[in-house]
Amino acid sequence: MDIEKLLKEEAGFLLEHKCTTFPKEKLHLPGSDFVDRIFALSDRSPRVLGNLQHIFNHGRLGGSGYVSILPVDQGVEHSAGASFAPNPDYFDPENIVKLAMEGGCNAVASTLGVLGSVSRKYGHKIPFLVKLNHNELLSYPNTFDQVYFAQVEQAWNMGAIAVGATIYFGSPQSDRQIQETSKVFKRAHELGMATVLWCYLRNDAFKIDKDYSVSADLTGQANHLGVTLEADIIKQKQPTNNGGYLALDNFGKTSDLVYSKLTTENPIDLTRYQVANCYMGRAGLINSGGASGEDDFAAAARTAVINKRAGGMGLISGRKAFQRPMKEGIELLHMIQDIYLDKNITIA
């Protein structure tokens, strides 16, 4: 893998950057002993610790402390047609699980229906993460609200070892979603399951001169709320800008130090602010891979390098992998994983 070729003109900018905002020595970084060093000190039960360890030990990244997860809930979130028309093989849930397995992922994340339809065949072969709530686009006019499609017990009964949920922080429905997900994550931990929270921001008010729903300061605070709900792993979009608190009138509270001392314009520093808000890395930060585009391999490599050098725990990449022939999808997942295995790509 020629990482400099993939990063193009940004290679030096990203690979040589030194972070001076939050020193790496202050972070709780991923490693082979992460469960023992970090999670075992918390109030999580031995069963939760065992299932987290199972995730960390699986796939090509097993034993590294990093994770690569294949998420395919877009059949509900974005419609099956929009998601799977580029590669109709993935209308069949079995191919989703096969891609995760052959792609060397730590886990496969999908809906109750997808994973339940093949659980007896594959539930013991790769960790299952059941995404419990979704936003569906069949209601007219389209609305954006996360509602629960499944219960924790259904995921537990099929043999899943983790559950996931999304909260649209900043939306009119966020109060209800926070309360629902708090109860769901409590129940999951009672049953010994790990929890992953999609900490997304959604409100048209965040879109002004740019889309501040992906600003470092707002996504960082969403992460902080997610870890407060005792999510074991936080999934977040990688920040592309900063200053969401400053752009909106009479909104929230921040400090000038966030912008003068704790962040810079470098994407690694912006992402490190996300890690810092995950209790300085006590909960792992995985960034999403984003939509499929013209140069998916380069885009995925860039996201992975930024996440790793910032102190993140890995990548959760779906559409870039499954909206192409399976062989190419496997190659893309392996390329992402190779970045986390590459000792020359260090923490900034």
Side-chain angles (χ1 to χ4, degrees), residues 34 38-39 42-44 48 52 55-56 129 148 162-167 169 178 181-189 193-200 221-236 275 277-286 313:
F34 193 85
I38 303 299
F39 284 130
S42 72
D43 59 357
R44 288 156 179 84
V48 174
L52 283 165
I55 293 172
F56 285 122
L129 190 167
Y148 274 83
V163 296
T166 298
I167 293 177
F169 289 106
I178 290 169
T181 301
S182 175
K183 294 175 182 176
V184 164
F185 278 13
K186 173 179 178 290
R187 181 58 177 150
H189 277 161
M193 306 175 78
T195 57
V196 181
L197 187 61
W198 280 239
C199 291
Y200 288 170
Q221 180 59 19
N223 290 357
H224 194 81
L225 297 178
V227 184
T228 301
L229 292 169
E230 289 206 329
D232 301 319
I233 296 174
I234 297 292
K235 179 191 176 189
Q236 182 58 270
V275 174
N277 275 280
C278 292
Y279 291 3
M280 295 297 274
R282 287 183 183 272
L285 171 71
I286 57 176
M313 187 170 275

Side-chain angles (χ1 to χ4, degrees), residues 13-304:
F13 174 65
L14 295 177
L15 294 174
E16 298 171 13
H17 175 70
K18 294 183 180 179
C19 182
T20 59
T21 55
F22 292 92
K24 63 183 179 181
E25 292 79 13
K26 299 283 188 181
L27 302 177
H28 303 286
L29 294 169
S32 59
D33 63 342
F34 193 85
V35 171
D36 291 336
R37 175 166 43 94
I38 303 299
F39 284 130
L41 304 179
S42 72
D43 59 357
R44 288 156 179 84
S45 72
R47 288 187 181 275
V48 174
L49 299 179
N51 280 326
L52 283 165
Q53 192 69 63
H54 187 26
I55 293 172
F56 285 122
N57 284 349
H58 196 82
R60 294 182 73 239
L61 294 181
S64 69
Y66 291 107
V67 296
S68 166
I69 298 175
L70 177 73
V72 189
D73 60 348
Q74 291 88 346
V76 177
E77 294 275 345
H78 303 155
S79 92
S83 302
F84 303 135
N87 188 346
D89 286 346
Y90 290 104
F91 277 100
D92 185 342
E94 185 170 14
N95 288 321
I96 293 171
V97 180
K98 283 182 176 179
L99 175 61
M101 291 175 61
E102 296 182 30
C105 292
N106 297 71
V108 57
S110 196
T111 66
L112 177 74
V114 164
L115 297 178
S117 69
V118 293
S119 63
R120 288 185 182 272
K121 186 172 182 179
Y122 294 107
H124 58 294
K125 295 181 179 179
I126 183 171
F128 275 16
L129 190 167
V130 179
K131 181 70 162 45
L132 298 175
N133 67 352
H134 307 283
N135 176 64
E136 55 82 19
L137 292 180
L138 196 57
S139 300
Y140 185 84
N142 286 162
T143 57
F144 296 92
D145 184 16
Q146 289 287 328
V147 296
Y148 274 83
F149 278 55
Q151 309 304 312
V152 176
E153 288 79 5
Q154 291 173 289
W156 185 79
N157 282 329
M158 78 162 70
I161 68 171
V163 296
T166 298
I167 293 177
Y168 283 155
F169 289 106
S171 72
Q173 302 86 11
S174 62
D175 284 355
R176 190 203 79 246
Q177 294 170 14
I178 290 169
Q179 293 174 60
E180 289 175 346
T181 301
S182 175
K183 294 175 182 176
V184 164
F185 278 13
K186 173 179 178 290
R187 181 58 177 150
H189 277 161
E190 287 174 348
L191 292 173
M193 306 175 78
T195 57
V196 181
L197 187 61
W198 280 239
C199 291
Y200 288 170
L201 289 154
R202 183 176 284 278
N203 194 314
D204 288 340
F206 294 143
K207 298 179 180 180
I208 311 173
D209 59 313
K210 58 188 71 172
D211 185 0
Y212 289 104
S213 68
V214 286
S215 66
D217 53 353
L218 298 189
T219 55
Q221 180 59 19
N223 290 357
H224 194 81
L225 297 178
V227 184
T228 301
L229 292 169
E230 289 206 329
D232 301 319
I233 296 174
I234 297 292
K235 179 191 176 189
Q236 182 58 270
K237 296 177 182 178
Q238 208 162 74
T240 59
N241 61 72
N242 205 2
Y245 276 118
L246 305 178
L248 278 80
D249 294 329
N250 301 314
F251 176 63
K253 291 185 178 182
T254 188
S255 167
D256 291 341
L257 294 172
V258 171
Y259 313 100
S260 64
K261 184 178 180 181
L262 300 181
T263 59
T264 72
E265 293 183 357
N266 190 289
I268 295 171
D269 293 344
L270 296 179
T271 305
R272 179 154 296 184
Y273 190 72
Q274 291 185 340
V275 174
N277 275 280
C278 292
Y279 291 3
M280 295 297 274
R282 287 183 183 272
L285 171 71
I286 57 176
N287 286 132
S288 52
S292 182
E294 291 183 1
D295 199 350
D296 285 340
F297 279 77
R302 182 182 189 275
T303 305

